[in-house]
Amino acid sequence: TAPINVTSSASPTATTTPTATATATPWGCAVGNSALLVVGNLTLSAGDQAILDRLTHVHGLSVTVVLDSAVTAADASGKALVLISSSVASTLVGIKLRDVAVPVGVNEFNLFAAMRMTDSVAGSIGSSTSQTQLSIVDASHPLAAGFSGTRTVYSPAATLYWALPAGGAQVVASVVGAPTHATIFAYAANTAMLGISAPAKRLGWFLPDNAGASLGVDGYALFDAAVSWMICTPVPTATA
């Protein structure tokens, strides 16, 4: 299938295909095949393009791409999934998507506090540069994609974002040698975050936007597991 190209235009949004209606479910998913991808530039970076292609070609989602400066909570309405790229400016997104009753995946670690997924004190988030691997700390969780131990997620090496999650987070993966530095962590719907209960599933993921094109086979498998966990679908069989 040919890549889907999304470029800048006079409009702050671009839609790959017509959107579909999603319906909330008691277990924190949304039934439907549409997603919202929030980015910092509609002329997508290689990393954002790789994620968009994965969402559309592997998961079969109809993806609306919207700028960080333009996104509103209303944009999440009817979506099965919202994914916030680390290409966004965190100050432009802020708390706009914090309370949406739709599963939200956050790749921008500077948004974790605004989303109430971590504290805002110094040391609650960080980054580890020149990494190729991460450690699976909860192999039983669906977000682990059936993996255990140390897995190679990048080729070539790139940066891993990490956090010290709050409340009732499920920590699935960490920086190698630093088990408290969570690289994949999640909140099920209605579980405790920092001062609020999760309105729907929330996911913190390790991926800077400029590292999206560096994901290897295991990295894509973990991404596929993340999307499938958020929207409650079987993990697709695909190669990176």
Side-chain angles (χ1 to χ4, degrees):
T1 304
I4 296 174
N5 298 312
V6 179
T7 57
S8 296
S9 67
S11 170
T13 63
T15 305
T16 59
T17 59
T19 56
T21 300
T23 305
T25 64
W27 54 89
C29 300
V31 178
N33 72 336
S34 60
L36 183 71
L37 177 61
V38 187
V39 298
N41 195 316
L42 289 182
T43 302
L44 299 184
S45 66
D48 281 347
Q49 186 67 55
I51 293 307
L52 174 63
D53 290 346
R54 198 74 178 184
L55 292 171
T56 55
H57 302 330
V58 175
H59 292 273
L61 293 170
S62 169
V63 182
T64 297
V65 180
V66 63
L67 279 173
D68 49 8
S69 59
V71 70
T72 68
D75 292 319
S77 179
K79 300 296 190 293
L81 165 70
V82 175
L83 185 62
I84 305 173
S85 166
S86 69
S87 65
V88 304
S90 58
T91 55
L92 294 179
V93 178
I95 64 171
K96 291 189 284 188
L97 298 170
R98 185 189 66 191
D99 300 323
V100 299
V102 173
V104 180
V106 184
N107 290 345
E108 174 47 57
F109 68 161
N110 286 309
L111 276 175
F112 289 157
M115 294 290 289
R116 300 293 181 91
M117 297 165 68
T118 67
D119 206 333
S120 58
V121 300
S124 295
I125 59 171
S127 59
S128 295
T129 60
S130 301
Q131 303 293 304
T132 59
Q133 298 179 318
L134 52 67
S135 291
I136 302 296
V137 298
D138 185 358
S140 67
H141 198 284
L143 287 168
F147 295 148
S148 61
T150 301
R151 309 299 299 195
T152 298
V153 293
Y154 288 144
S155 180
T159 296
L160 290 173
Y161 287 159
W162 58 262
L164 306 180
Q170 300 164 301
V171 177
V172 177
S174 71
V175 175
V176 174
T180 62
H181 290 181
T183 52
I184 301 175
F185 64 98
Y187 298 89
N190 302 314
T191 57
M193 298 200 296
L194 190 70
I196 65 171
S197 294
K201 289 181 177 180
R202 296 291 186 260
L203 171 72
W205 222 66
F206 59 84
L207 187 69
D209 69 291
N210 59 6
S214 295
L215 284 174
V217 173
D218 286 0
Y220 274 118
L222 288 166
F223 178 79
D224 291 339
V227 174
S228 296
W229 176 78
M230 284 189 283
I231 63 177
C232 297
T233 60
V235 178
T237 300
T239 56

